[in-house]
Amino acid sequence: MNKYLIVVDMQNDFIDGSLGTPEAQAIVDNVIHKVKHFDGTVVFTQDTHSPTYLKTQEGKHLPVEHCIKGTTGWELSPALATWQQDNGATVFEKVTFGSKALITSLVHIYETEGIESIELIGLCTDICVVSNALAIKAFLPEVPIVVDASCCAGVTPEKHLVALETMASCQVQVINQ
């Protein structure tokens, strides 16, 4: 059966750009190692906004321009971008926290080929990682969903821990906490 690793929003703006944190910077090497050694299919999500971001619902609640398509901040971290290109890994651009296209794709794969497990890593634990993990769990309740805490960082360390607790409460397996 198929195993999937979903690398959520490992983009420059979330690492060391407009919304970067020391915690996000600290997980980059862990994420690169996991991607390079994962025995299965690796896919990426990429937070993708337009120059009118500040006029969106999200922009009104988080008034910090980030991940504007085509900017350096929108790009994947350099080592991950290279790996993604070299391996032809799929990238799901998403305009909000969760990715409908990712979930639709996973449901189709599950129905046609089966999925053994899905693991999520990346940024931010308390926004996009938790959103995608819970959405996937809702649509694929029989597929084991795993989140590697050592490859995730939240907006703050406290919010990271709360998100991990929330996911664990919803039967997402949290490892390496």
Side-chain angles (χ1 to χ4, degrees):
M1 284 224 206
N2 299 322
K3 292 182 180 180
Y4 284 81
L5 176 66
I6 300 168
V7 183
V8 179
D9 298 356
M10 286 297 296
Q11 295 162 266
N12 295 322
D13 271 346
F14 292 128
I15 297 168
D16 57 10
S18 61
L19 292 172
T21 65
E23 294 80 18
Q25 293 168 34
I27 68 162
V28 172
D29 288 342
N30 291 351
V31 170
I32 293 167
H33 183 267
K34 180 157 291 237
V35 166
K36 288 182 176 180
H37 295 92
F38 187 75
D39 184 23
T41 302
V42 179
V43 300
F44 293 81
T45 69
Q46 200 168 11
D47 200 40
T48 303
H49 299 296
S50 73
T52 61
Y53 167 77
L54 293 176
K55 294 179 181 177
T56 67
Q57 183 74 16
E58 179 183 331
K60 291 174 184 172
H61 291 278
L62 179 62
V64 178
E65 286 190 345
H66 64 281
C67 299
I68 305 299
K69 188 170 184 169
T71 66
T72 301
W74 172 74
E75 295 172 1
L76 295 172
S77 175
L80 292 171
T82 299
W83 189 94
Q84 180 274 322
Q85 292 165 3
D86 289 350
N87 291 277
T90 301
V91 177
F92 292 91
E93 292 182 12
K94 57 187 192 55
V95 297
T96 189
F97 310 132
S99 173
K100 181 179 178 182
L102 170 66
I103 294 163
T104 301
S105 176
L106 290 171
V107 167
H108 175 73
I109 293 164
Y110 177 75
E111 291 172 347
T112 59
E113 304 171 28
I115 296 177
E116 183 177 335
S117 64
I118 298 170
E119 183 171 348
L120 293 95
I121 60 176
L123 302 168
C124 293
T125 318
D126 51 309
I127 303 174
C128 294
V129 174
V130 68
S131 294
N132 283 286
L134 295 181
I136 293 166
K137 189 67 176 169
F139 285 94
L140 296 172
E142 296 303 317
V143 175
I145 310 296
V146 177
V147 170
D148 186 339
S150 72
C151 292
C152 293
V155 172
T156 66
E158 296 78 18
K159 288 183 177 187
H160 168 75
L161 293 174
V162 169
L164 294 174
E165 185 177 321
T166 297
M167 288 185 280
S169 294
C170 295
Q171 301 176 3
V172 171
Q173 182 185 5
V174 177
I175 61 172
N176 298 322
Q177 192 164 354

